[in-house]
């Protein structure tokens, strides 16, 4: 698509761009879009949740939890906020409280399978840590207030700061069984052993970097981080559980067909997280391979073992398509997204149909097949859930018609986009749509109307305000 659009910034633009970047795994860039969007529409609960997801993908669990809680302060029955809060708590290791919020979400939306998956994985984690969850009592009041493990760790850190340095260092360098640590840390065990070896070099420990930071503080900080990761992994999967799994595997009883549904659900959730994380880190090839392997496993399982099997298969095709798009494999990406669309239609999943049509349209537009992009996005129109989404959709279709030199159609869709933007009350989208109408009128040689619309666009640009947009319209 031609890159002659004016650099107009609006809440709708930022949300659309951020969502697209997030789907492609570019979470850092998506985070910037959502930050800017919240500056324009502070406290938007949907934007807070999308930003919370970005934070979680980037490993920033504390900010992820803050955004989820902020969305619930706006609407305490917001089920997406409940799910995201549960996910953030689970990532922090607060499995008991994550379980509480998974259950709350399930009571609100029992039709959503993701809450049951969350309950399963939280219960499994609790069992691994402390045994049967029936032995644990959680007291909840009308407004659930709690001290999470993260808060407890902060208190412990404050206490540690008040202790003598010798005691603090002694605690930080405390060792567990080398065999246990090696199994828990994996490849990181060699790094920890190297750091501990450096501690014995007294001269090195007394030295400082060019920035004035003591080498001892850096080394102890690295060891402390590795100890925290060790404790977290021990919490999620204790050594006795790992040993049991290895023993069962040797005995041949860990075949997929004999796994419990809860084990399968937990395994799928973990694999899906890995697939998205790999894509976010720029490892599109590895993400694609992992998604393809998981797809084969899911296809081999029965619907009793995986109740949402068809929905999951479609989702995996979408993940594969996004990875292929990141690798520049346009035809393969198009095929994968079409597979996603087929499964969505077969199983009457409107949200998945909308997702697939969105992705297919973008691929067509990227490779210059504008008519196919138009046909795809026009099919998506009835699935649009808001005036803002329609404003974006009509504008994209209009841009494609403009690329095909079909100015009348471009003008019609530009006016539709303008009408939807006015219904939403979004000045920035009104500006964007007005410019599209004016550009179409220039191609139709209706210069008087084009000038009027450019003048209207200029007035809207002053309201935004956007100096770049003003200069572009004047030019």
């Amino acid at each position: 698509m031609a890159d002659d659009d004016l650099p107009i910034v609006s809440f709708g633009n930022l949300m659309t761009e951020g969502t697209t970047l997030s789907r492609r795994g570019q979470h850092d860039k998506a985070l910037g879009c959502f930050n800017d969007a919240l500056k324009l529409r502070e406290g938007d609960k949907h934007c807070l949740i999308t930003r919370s997801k970005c934070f979680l993908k980037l490993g920033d669990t504390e900010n992820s939890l803050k955004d989820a809680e902020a969305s619930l302060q706006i609407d305490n029955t917001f089920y997406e906020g409940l799910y995201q809060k549960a996910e953030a708590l689970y990532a922090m290791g607060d499995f008991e409280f994550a379980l509480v919020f998974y259950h709350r979400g399930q009571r609100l939306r029992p039709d959503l399978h993701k809450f049951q998956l969350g309950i399963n994985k939280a219960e499994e984690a609790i069992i691994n840590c402390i045994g049967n969850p029936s032995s644990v009592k959680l007291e909840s009041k009308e407004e659930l207030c709690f001290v999470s493990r993260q808060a407890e760790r902060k208190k412990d850190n404050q206490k540690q700061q008040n202790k003598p340095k010798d005691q603090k260092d002694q605690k930080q360098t405390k060792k567990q069984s080398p065999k246990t640590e090696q199994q828990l840390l994996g490849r990181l065990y060699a790094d920890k052993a190297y750091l501990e070896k450096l501690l014995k070099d007294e001269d090195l420990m007394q030295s400082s970097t060019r920035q004035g930071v003591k080498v001892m503080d850096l080394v102890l900080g690295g060891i402390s981080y590795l100890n925290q990761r060790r404790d977290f992994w021990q919490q999620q999967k204790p050594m006795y559980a790992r040993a049991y799994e290895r023993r069962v595997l040797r005995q041949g009883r860990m075949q997929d067909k004999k796994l419990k549904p809860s084990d399968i659900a937990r395994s799928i959730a973990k694999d899906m997280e890995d697939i998205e994380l790999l894509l976010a880190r720029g490892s599109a090839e590895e993400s694609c391979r992992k998604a393809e392997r998981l797809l084969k496993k899911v296809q081999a399982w029965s619907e009793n073992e995986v109740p949402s099997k068809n929905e999951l298969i479609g989702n995996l095709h979408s993940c594969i398509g996004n990875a292929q798009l990141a690798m520049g494999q346009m035809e393969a990406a198009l095929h994968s997204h079409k597979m996603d669309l087929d499964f969505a239609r077969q199983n009457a999943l409107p949200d998945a149909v909308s997702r697939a049509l969105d992705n297919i349209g973008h691929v067509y537009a990227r490779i210059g097949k504008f008519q196919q992009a138009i046909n795809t996005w026009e099919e998506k129109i009835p699935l649009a859930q808001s005036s803002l989404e329609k404003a974006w959709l009509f504008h994209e279709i209009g841009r494609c018609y403009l690329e095909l030199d079909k100015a009348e159609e471009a003008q019609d869709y530009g006016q539709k986009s303008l009408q939807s933007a006015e219904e939403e009350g979004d000045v920035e989208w009104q500006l964007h749509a007005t410019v599209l109408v004016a550009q179409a009128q220039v191609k139709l040689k209706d210069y008087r109307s084009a000038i009027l619309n450019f003048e209207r666009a200029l007035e809207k640009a002053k309201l935004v305000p956007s100096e770049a947009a003003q200069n572009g319209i004047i030019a």
Side-chain angles (χ1 to χ4, degrees), residues 3-176:
D3 201 16
D4 57 353
D5 281 353
L6 294 174
I8 302 167
V9 178
S10 71
F11 180 82
N13 277 342
L14 291 167
M15 284 294 291
T16 301
E17 184 180 357
T19 302
T20 301
L21 289 170
S22 184
R23 286 176 180 172
R24 295 174 184 170
Q26 299 174 351
H27 300 294
D28 281 316
K29 294 181 180 178
L31 187 61
C33 291
F34 296 133
N35 287 338
D36 292 339
L38 284 168
K39 292 177 183 177
L40 297 176
R41 193 173 295 181
E42 186 177 358
D44 184 272
K45 63 182 182 181
H46 296 287
C47 189
L48 284 168
I49 286 304
T50 50
R51 189 173 73 170
S52 175
K53 292 177 182 177
C54 274
F55 277 130
L56 198 57
K57 295 297 180 186
L58 294 168
D60 190 348
T61 54
E62 290 190 6
N63 278 322
S64 177
L65 181 60
K66 286 179 183 178
D67 277 353
E69 289 178 334
S71 73
L72 291 172
Q73 288 176 359
I74 298 166
D75 179 3
N76 60 8
T77 62
F78 185 38
Y79 72 90
E80 288 291 347
L82 290 170
Y83 180 76
Q84 191 58 28
K85 182 170 183 177
E87 289 285 280
L89 288 168
Y90 181 86
M92 287 176 160
D94 289 327
F95 306 123
E96 299 91 341
F97 291 107
L99 182 61
V100 170
F101 286 97
Y102 284 130
H103 274 295
R104 280 193 175 187
Q106 190 187 45
R107 284 196 296 269
L108 283 174
R109 292 296 302 272
D111 56 309
L112 294 179
H113 188 60
K114 64 183 180 180
F115 284 113
Q116 185 58 52
L117 288 176
I119 290 169
N120 291 341
K121 69 179 183 181
E123 288 179 345
E124 290 287 334
I126 292 169
I127 292 172
N128 286 338
C129 292
I130 59 175
N132 196 311
S134 62
S135 64
V136 181
K137 285 189 177 181
L138 294 177
E139 297 181 1
S140 61
K141 299 182 180 179
E142 194 170 327
E143 291 296 329
L144 183 65
C145 297
F146 64 90
V147 179
S148 69
R149 281 208 253 294
Q150 292 293 315
E152 290 173 357
R153 289 188 195 112
K154 288 181 180 177
K155 289 183 179 180
D156 290 340
N157 289 338
Q158 291 174 356
K159 292 179 181 178
Q160 285 297 320
Q161 290 174 1
N162 296 328
K163 287 186 178 181
K165 190 174 187 301
D166 294 340
Q167 293 181 17
K168 185 166 64 175
D169 292 347
Q170 184 178 1
K171 183 174 181 181
Q172 285 178 326
T173 57
K174 183 179 178 181
K175 291 185 179 181
Q176 288 192 355

Side-chain angles (χ1 to χ4, degrees), residues 48 82 99 124 143 151 234 248 322 343 368 389 396 417 473:
L48 284 168
L82 290 170
L99 182 61
E124 290 287 334
E143 291 296 329
Q234 172 75 9
V248 171
N322 289 335
F343 274 92
E389 186 177 1
E396 289 299 294
S417 177
I473 293 168

Side-chain angles (χ1 to χ4, degrees), residues 117 256-271 298 301-302 304-306:
L117 288 176
D256 291 338
K257 63 181 181 180
K258 294 187 179 181
L259 285 175
K260 296 179 182 178
S262 60
D263 295 331
I264 293 175
R266 183 183 178 189
S267 174
I268 289 172
K270 178 65 170 62
D271 286 343
V298 171
W301 281 322
S302 68
N304 291 331
E305 293 170 311
V306 185

Side-chain angles (χ1 to χ4, degrees), residues 308-315 340-356 383:
S308 56
K309 177 179 177 178
N310 290 324
E311 182 179 356
L312 182 59
I313 289 175
N315 196 5
D340 179 24
L341 181 60
D342 290 341
F343 274 92
R345 284 173 171 166
Q346 291 168 13
N347 296 279
L349 301 169
D351 289 343
V353 170
S354 181
R355 174 190 67 203
L383 301 174

